[in-house]
Amino acid sequence: MSGTLTRLILCLGVIIGMVPIYVVVVMAVANQASGDYDTPFLVAGAVTGLCFMASWNMVWRTQVKWTNARIGLTTMLLPASLLLAVVAYGVVVAIESHATEVGIVLGTIAWAAGWLIGTALIWRETKPERAARLRAHGVHALPCPQCGYNLTGLTQTQCPECGTKFTLDQLVADALDQRAEASV
Ligand SMILES: [Zn+2]
């Protein structure tokens, strides 16, 4: 199974796994606070939301190129997505002032959706990053210094196209020069 497929299944598992956590916490807190309908949903929303964020980060952590900008934006995403939750709650209560539990549940969903969409945008690979990654692993990673034939995967240092023999240090030096030029 490829790493990407594993990660997608993990994501699905994380999202589905939040349902039993939410339900169990709602029931447990409701037992303690009988007659109070808001607290169970508030506590369950907070617990589930934090579990979700933590497991989401664990699934994707190694895939994200952590620049200072990404770390800063991801940190700001927590208050931003919580603000989204407050707005969703406010909208529901403005429409129907007694529907506070509905507001809390929708606020929790808004928080999770904000976190999902926000991380997808912030953690996305930029075009220059993608170009650098493809250059590093790409098919033209090691062209013959003489004729440009792709030497990737060869177990000897003679170019099969033009027949020129190289030493390893010549090939390495040439590849480093090429990359330095490409990244300017
Ligand atoms: Zn060659």
Side-chain angles (χ1 to χ4, degrees):
M1 193 185 286
S2 78
T4 311
L5 187 59
T6 308
R7 213 158 271 114
L8 285 176
I9 293 173
L10 277 174
C11 285
L12 200 65
V14 161
I15 292 168
I16 296 172
M18 290 309 128
V19 177
I21 295 178
Y22 189 84
V23 173
V24 165
V25 176
V26 166
M27 291 193 311
V29 179
N31 270 342
Q32 302 293 316
S34 53
D36 174 9
Y37 293 112
D38 287 353
T39 312
F41 289 108
L42 204 57
V43 174
V47 170
T48 315
L50 289 173
C51 285
F52 175 66
M53 277 174 39
S55 23
W56 195 251
N57 289 9
M58 265 155 66
V59 171
W60 290 109
R61 198 167 40 112
T62 56
Q63 297 296 303
V64 180
K65 189 169 162 49
W66 290 108
T67 58
N68 283 339
R70 281 211 177 88
I71 294 170
L73 284 170
T74 306
T75 311
M76 272 156 50
L77 187 61
L78 178 58
S81 50
L82 282 175
L83 185 69
L84 205 63
V86 173
V87 170
Y89 175 82
V91 168
V92 170
V93 175
I95 295 168
E96 173 54 66
S97 62
H98 297 297
T100 49
E101 316 86 61
V102 179
I104 292 169
V105 172
L106 286 187
T108 307
I109 295 172
W111 174 21
W115 181 259
L116 262 176
I117 296 167
T119 53
L121 293 175
I122 295 167
W123 295 351
R124 177 174 57 170
E125 192 176 44
T126 63
K127 273 184 184 171
E129 283 167 0
R130 182 179 151 80
R133 183 168 59 80
L134 289 181
R135 252 200 322 278
H137 304 286
V139 286
H140 299 299
L142 193 62
C144 166
Q146 189 66 35
C147 71
Y149 182 83
N150 178 21
L151 303 178
T152 307
L154 292 183
T155 53
Q156 38 100 3
T157 59
Q158 181 175 17
C159 174
E161 183 72 11
C162 67
T164 316
K165 282 182 178 169
F166 301 98
T167 61
L168 281 172
D169 56 291
Q170 282 172 331
L171 288 175
V172 169
D174 188 72
L176 289 176
D177 283 348
Q178 299 262 344
R179 272 173 214 183
E181 272 172 34
S183 61
V184 168

